[in-house]
Amino acid sequence: MDFRSLFRTARSVDTEPAPSPAPPAGAGARTFNADPSRAWLSGEWLFDQSHSTIGFAARHALVTRVRGSFTDFDGWLRLDGERPERSGVGVVVRTATIDTRVAQRDRHLCSADFLDVERYPTITFSSTHTEQVGEDRFRMTGALTIKDRTHPVTIDLLYTGLVVDAFGVERIGFDGTAIVNRSQWDLTWNAVLETGGLMVSEEIELEFDISAVRAP
């Protein structure tokens, strides 16, 4: 799947932004406010996979949390520094790259009990609405598709800054979280504990730590 095409179908970016000027020389972290002085944040950005994490956490056996992530994904971010509500994102995740640091558990998660990666090799997210809710905080709603089932998800985002790194590359960062109920996407496998309760929580916390570089 072409993740750029996925992104460009998002309703939140129905108009192309104007080309963005270069950031001021020696720029450190900058606040992403709806202000013309932030126009240099505008443009398209590619997720840097080697410095980003798309992960999740689930409660296991009621008493602990299991965390995992996906090691192969693409993301395409478009920002509008003057009108943040026009910003959005498209993401494609390869399901077979799930990693919880336990091989047996990863195989189970890849099986038909959960992600069924042979039939459904990708998870996709395409934003539909973005709003600024604080100085550096945003709320993004979009369509999350898993196993050919699509439901809306709202992600709380924190803008962590923009820098020019040691190699002269513009790099922007966001952290994000969302809570979803896995049963909406037919991720329903579970087991009943002898003491009562379920082995795996229905609620899953999605976690994002994104570093993106300006697209050429």
Side-chain angles (χ1 to χ4, degrees):
M1 181 178 295
D2 182 346
F3 66 94
R4 295 189 185 193
S5 298
L6 172 73
F7 177 76
R8 289 185 173 121
T9 63
R11 295 196 300 271
S12 59
V13 286
D14 56 348
T15 304
E16 294 289 328
S20 59
R30 304 291 181 177
T31 301
F32 183 26
N33 284 335
D35 185 297
S37 66
R38 310 298 175 182
W40 48 272
L41 288 172
S42 299
E44 296 178 336
W45 304 76
L46 292 171
F47 285 18
D48 177 2
Q49 187 182 110
S50 63
H51 293 95
S52 299
T53 301
I54 295 180
F56 58 90
R59 183 68 62 181
H60 177 262
L62 301 178
V63 297
T64 189
R65 287 162 64 85
V66 169
R67 295 181 181 275
S69 63
F70 295 91
T71 60
D72 189 13
F73 52 86
D74 291 306
W76 182 260
L77 176 68
R78 180 172 290 149
L79 299 181
D80 188 324
E82 297 177 273
R83 295 178 59 190
E85 70 276 6
R86 294 176 60 204
S87 300
V89 67
V91 182
V92 176
V93 174
R94 279 86 191 182
T95 53
T97 69
I98 194 167
D99 180 12
T100 65
R101 300 183 298 172
V102 177
Q104 181 179 5
R105 182 166 58 212
D106 294 346
R107 288 192 294 271
H108 190 197
L109 291 172
C110 286
S111 75
D113 281 344
F114 286 100
L115 293 172
D116 198 358
V117 302
E118 291 188 6
R119 294 181 61 194
Y120 308 104
T122 61
I123 293 170
T124 64
F125 177 81
S126 182
S127 65
T128 56
H129 178 71
T130 303
E131 61 177 322
Q132 184 168 3
V133 296
E135 185 176 18
D136 292 327
R137 295 186 178 276
F138 302 84
R139 187 163 293 136
M140 179 177 288
T141 299
L144 178 64
T145 300
I146 305 174
K147 298 176 71 173
D148 283 350
R149 291 165 171 79
T150 301
H151 295 283
V153 169
T154 297
I155 302 170
D156 290 318
L157 291 168
L158 172 66
Y159 166 66
T160 58
L162 183 148
V163 298
V164 178
D165 68 19
F167 300 97
V169 176
E170 291 179 73
R171 186 176 296 275
I172 198 165
F174 289 90
D175 289 343
T177 59
I179 302 294
V180 299
N181 188 312
R182 61 189 176 93
S183 63
Q184 289 187 286
W185 291 272
D186 193 32
L187 302 171
T188 56
W189 182 92
N190 226 320
V192 179
L193 302 171
E194 291 185 6
T195 54
L198 298 175
M199 177 72 73
V200 184
S201 62
E202 292 295 307
E203 283 196 345
I204 306 295
E205 183 176 0
L206 306 181
E207 303 170 326
F208 310 94
D209 188 356
I210 304 301
S211 176
V213 298
R214 193 179 291 276

